Amino acid sequence: MAEDQEFTLPPLEERPLVTFALFAYNQEKYIREAVEGAFAQTYEPLEIILSDDCSTDRTFEIMEEMAKRYKGPHQIRLNRNSRNLGVGPHIYHVYCKALGELVISAAGDDISVSERTSNILKCWLAKKMKPALIFSAAIKIDKESETLCELNFDKEEKYFENYNPLNPPFPVWGFSMAANRRLVLEFPPIRQGVAAEDTVFVRRASNFGGVLYANKPLVKYRIHPESITSSLISNSRIDYLKKKRFRYIDAIRKGELFIEDLHILKHPEEIALRREIQEKITLWHLGLAILNENIYKSCKALIKHSTLSCTNLKNLKEGLKHFIVRWIPSALNYK
């Protein structure tokens, strides 16, 4: 928002200490770029915790070497767990060590842009340090650090003081997350076996100041075969996609989402989901037949041809909105 964009950080002596926590495990291929991104942060005062979850490769050795050579203004703290704790307990362990009230989380295979902490703090301080959880847009990169696409939800900053995790306006990305330490210290430890910590933090944040989305891409989020995210394509992921299917269909029924918006489903598992939703749409043929000839033809074209130009889709949107809001609810309930 305009007032947040104009917000400037206070003088150095008046700024809060922030913790930048880099979590790593068996990421020797990518850890150097991740640490360089942490060291390049422009915000001060900043403590950087480089934490390794008992890696079996050279991840910790690389972190240790870089920490010894570092000559910048930030306070560097090294941690190596004596045994592998797993994602949840590792996060809990580091948050307990953190001195900053706000903790910026980073993964050992991602890259934080140099202004990440500064931009997060501007958003946080502009809201009088109220949001318990902040996440940002990101840039998706491949294993060679080549840009794939930008990940964002909106062109504007969004703040949900009463964020409802059961009916979220958008999901929260853990890879670009910053959180108040209270979300860890005032709750039971995150249990072992939790692979996606963002779901835990979101539920907790809903009772402690809500969630803020910063619309600037502040993280380069890496996709590669060895990543934790890639390994999550499992039964839990499929269950999540099933719930997502019903959420998309419900959004289309309410006129909050349009058929062409399904292009956002790009993951291999999500492509199957998109086909399933589009097959569901074909069941609306009865409702379409009620409408006049022009909208009927337009909707059929939209359903059958995913390569329509953006211009054609925009021209169809108003007609589709009328159709969706007025006729789809009864068509979906048709047995």
Side-chain angles (χ1 to χ4, degrees):
M1 297 180 196
E3 61 176 310
D4 294 341
Q5 290 172 354
E6 296 170 2
F7 187 87
T8 55
L9 291 171
L12 179 60
E13 60 275 10
E14 298 177 16
R15 298 178 191 174
L17 174 68
V18 175
T19 297
F20 189 102
L22 180 62
F23 300 90
Y25 177 64
N26 285 351
Q27 293 160 325
E28 63 179 357
K29 294 179 184 177
Y30 312 111
I31 192 63
R32 192 172 299 278
E33 286 181 287
V35 174
E36 288 171 351
F39 288 172
Q41 295 301 299
T42 58
Y43 180 86
E44 296 179 57
L46 184 70
E47 72 159 354
I48 298 175
I49 300 179
L50 305 178
S51 186
D52 176 68
D53 196 17
C54 198
S55 293
T56 57
D57 61 8
R58 293 193 65 254
T59 296
F60 181 74
E61 285 75 9
I62 295 171
M63 295 165 73
E64 190 175 37
E65 292 168 6
M66 296 182 72
K68 288 179 180 178
R69 293 199 305 267
Y70 178 72
K71 304 296 182 183
H74 307 316
Q75 176 188 354
I76 310 300
R77 299 170 61 190
L78 275 169
N79 173 70
R80 187 179 195 181
N81 299 333
S82 58
R83 60 184 179 85
N84 180 251
L85 300 179
V87 175
H90 187 194
I91 289 172
Y92 178 80
H93 182 62
V94 171
Y95 266 70
C96 288
K97 289 179 174 288
L99 300 178
E101 183 177 353
L102 190 71
V103 180
I104 313 284
S105 294
D109 50 0
D110 297 335
I111 306 170
S112 294
V113 303
S114 60
E115 294 292 326
R116 182 185 177 194
T117 305
S118 293
N119 277 284
I120 292 293
L121 262 290
K122 288 177 183 179
C123 295
W124 192 50
L125 295 176
K127 291 288 187 293
K128 304 187 185 303
M129 301 166 68
K130 194 170 184 179
L133 186 65
I134 303 171
F135 76 109
S136 73
I139 297 170
K140 187 186 288 187
I141 61 174
D142 63 15
K143 61 181 182 180
E144 306 297 336
S145 300
E146 295 295 327
T147 298
L148 299 176
C149 65
E150 185 170 321
L151 301 171
N152 57 53
F153 291 113
D154 204 295
K155 294 181 179 179
E156 296 182 355
E157 178 184 298
K158 299 291 183 183
Y159 176 43
F160 292 87
E161 187 171 351
N162 298 309
Y163 187 95
N164 182 1
L166 299 178
N167 186 26
F170 45 70
V172 172
W173 289 323
F175 55 79
S176 66
M177 188 174 68
N180 193 307
R181 277 202 312 156
R182 294 174 61 194
L183 297 187
V184 168
L185 301 184
E186 297 185 16
F187 288 86
I190 302 173
R191 62 179 174 81
Q192 192 170 9
V194 172
E197 76 285 357
D198 45 339
T199 58
V200 177
F201 277 79
V202 167
R203 287 196 295 270
R204 296 177 178 183
S206 62
N207 297 315
F208 280 89
V211 176
L212 175 68
Y213 166 66
N215 63 317
K216 294 182 179 179
L218 303 177
V219 175
K220 294 182 180 180
Y221 171 56
R222 193 186 304 275
I223 297 295
H224 59 95
E226 299 88 11
S227 69
I228 291 177
T229 302
S230 297
S231 68
L232 286 178
I233 306 304
S234 59
N235 290 335
S236 60
R237 173 68 177 171
I238 293 171
D239 289 341
Y240 167 73
L241 289 174
K242 287 179 180 177
K243 294 177 182 177
K244 200 171 185 179
R245 173 192 62 194
F246 291 116
R247 185 181 301 163
Y248 276 118
I249 291 174
D250 187 56
I252 292 173
R253 288 179 64 178
K254 294 176 180 176
E256 298 169 352
L257 188 71
F258 294 92
I259 299 167
E260 68 266 29
D261 293 328
L262 295 178
H263 75 276
I264 62 177
L265 304 178
K266 294 180 178 179
H267 190 279
E269 291 283 344
E270 292 180 325
I271 291 173
L273 170 69
R274 181 174 65 191
R275 291 197 191 101
E276 183 179 343
I277 294 174
Q278 288 173 329
E279 287 172 4
K280 181 78 173 178
I281 292 170
T282 62
L283 297 178
W284 302 344
H285 180 87
L286 183 67
L288 285 167
I290 302 172
L291 302 176
N292 67 62
E293 187 72 12
N294 290 332
I295 294 183
Y296 172 66
K297 287 183 177 179
S298 297
C299 289
K300 281 192 70 176
L302 184 57
I303 291 168
K304 291 184 177 181
H305 304 288
S306 59
T307 56
L308 284 175
S309 69
C310 293
T311 303
N312 289 334
L313 293 177
K314 287 178 181 177
N315 293 337
L316 289 172
K317 181 164 282 192
E318 286 305 312
L320 282 170
K321 185 173 182 179
H322 170 78
F323 165 72
I324 290 169
V325 172
R326 185 166 182 179
W327 297 107
I328 288 304
S330 59
L332 279 177
N333 292 327
Y334 174 78
K335 302 293 183 183

